[in-house]
Amino acid sequence: MSLYRENILDHYKNPRNFGKIPGSSKSSHAENPSCGDSISMDVVIDKGKFEDIKFTGEGCSISIATASILTEELKGKPISTVIDYNLEKLEELLGIEIVPARKKCAKLPLNILKKIVLKELKNQSFPDLQMI
Ligand code: ZN
């Protein structure tokens, strides 16, 4: 077994930042029916940065490991960081080439974070443009 696979299995078996954030966190949820992945993420944003990120849910090793790795990677970073994240970045973080059948699994947690961040950035940048 390669080091990378061991790392993914470790994040799957011992997910980091697993749980809910009580209080005024921003949350979003998404599912990947084709695989059965179901993940929710809670985020605390302060001064444009991820102050805290946690997730809950269940799914395959790729979806859970990606969520776990993203929480570690992004904590303390500007929220706009996730806008540029794509599949190549996820492969870099996971250290493997993601096979086509698992691409949706890896994208699921990232897309949840993107959804939260896009909503947040929209509220900040265009306060007058919400009602259209
Ligand atoms: Zn999956």
Side-chain angles (χ1 to χ4, degrees), residues 35-63:
C35 182
D37 308 317
S38 171
I39 290 178
S40 299
M41 301 192 84
D42 287 0
V43 170
V44 176
I45 296 167
D46 186 42
K47 297 185 181 79
K49 290 183 177 168
F50 289 113
E51 188 171 270
D52 202 4
I53 312 174
K54 283 185 189 284
F55 79 100
T56 55
E58 51 189 7
C60 64
S61 57
I62 293 294
S63 62

Side-chain angles (χ1 to χ4, degrees), residues 103-121:
K103 285 194 192 331
K104 278 188 184 169
C105 307
K107 282 188 207 165
L108 186 70
L110 176 60
N111 282 335
I112 297 172
L113 287 173
K114 283 195 176 196
K115 208 155 64 172
I116 295 172
V117 165
L118 285 173
K119 200 173 162 206
E120 180 73 11
L121 290 177

